[in-house]
Amino acid sequence: MAKIVLASGSPRRQELLVRMGISDFDIRVPEVEERYPEGLSPEETVCYISREKSDAARLLCGPDEIIITADTMVFLDEKRLGKPKNEEEALAMLTALAGRQHTVCTGVTVRQGEKVLTAAEHTDVYFHPATESQLRAYIRTGEPMDKAGAYGVQGKGALLVERIDGDFFNVMGLPVSLLSDLLKPFGINLLE
């Protein structure tokens, strides 16, 4: 089997690959400026950036290696919520999300040489209403500071979530079912 390269420094994505049964992989993180054209839908945006990451990672890999890239974004009313720059920005994001539905989109690209497949997954997440003191207590954990939308569903951020419609792992940053489907044309069937 060809060597798999995860072109991401995300510990969550690394953990999810292992959970999928892929334990032998390299990590090579390309430098990519996350810019994208105006007017793209959320799914088009994450696919665009995922492909940009794949193009950059290609320069770090051999032609036979299978490269996996992903980009996850949180959208509230079609507006992107990135990683908060400080605690006040985290509070503003979490306040906007409280008691509402938002969407998490991840674009995934799998590449081997000239063969490139990209697809997106979206998941609707519904937050409980929350008080400012509850949100500030969550922010004090430090968990929101390196996460899109200022929360991590795999940690204490789960306490903010009322329900999820769609792929839970997508909200963690890597839709495992979609990735499994994308790997099949590259000769990797994880259930066989």
Side-chain angles (χ1 to χ4, degrees), residues 111-176:
R111 155 182 254 136
Q112 186 178 37
E114 296 300 316
K115 184 175 183 177
V116 183
L117 297 177
T118 301
E121 184 70 57
H122 74 274
T123 303
D124 291 331
V125 181
Y126 297 79
F127 268 22
H128 292 289
T131 65
E132 181 178 334
S133 65
Q134 289 171 322
L135 297 178
R136 287 192 182 278
Y138 176 57
I139 291 166
R140 281 194 299 276
T141 69
E143 191 177 280
M145 302 317 295
D146 68 338
K147 314 257 186 329
Y151 75 96
V153 73
Q154 69 283 353
K156 284 202 176 220
L159 301 174
L160 302 171
V161 176
E162 179 180 306
R163 78 176 198 270
I164 294 175
D165 289 344
D167 184 340
F168 170 81
F169 299 107
N170 180 45
V171 185
M172 280 182 67
L174 190 65
V176 297

Side-chain angles (χ1 to χ4, degrees), residues 13 34 36 40-53 69-75 80 103-109 118-122 170 178:
R13 289 188 182 131
E34 293 191 8
Y36 50 90
L40 298 179
S41 71
E43 287 87 355
E44 290 168 335
T45 301
V46 293
C47 283
Y48 181 90
I49 295 175
S50 175
R51 282 191 302 270
E52 291 287 299
K53 289 178 178 181
T69 57
D71 188 71
T72 301
M73 293 185 181
V74 174
F75 294 89
R80 177 186 175 197
T103 301
V104 178
C105 291
T106 302
V108 179
T109 300
T118 301
E121 184 70 57
H122 74 274
N170 180 45
L178 174 66

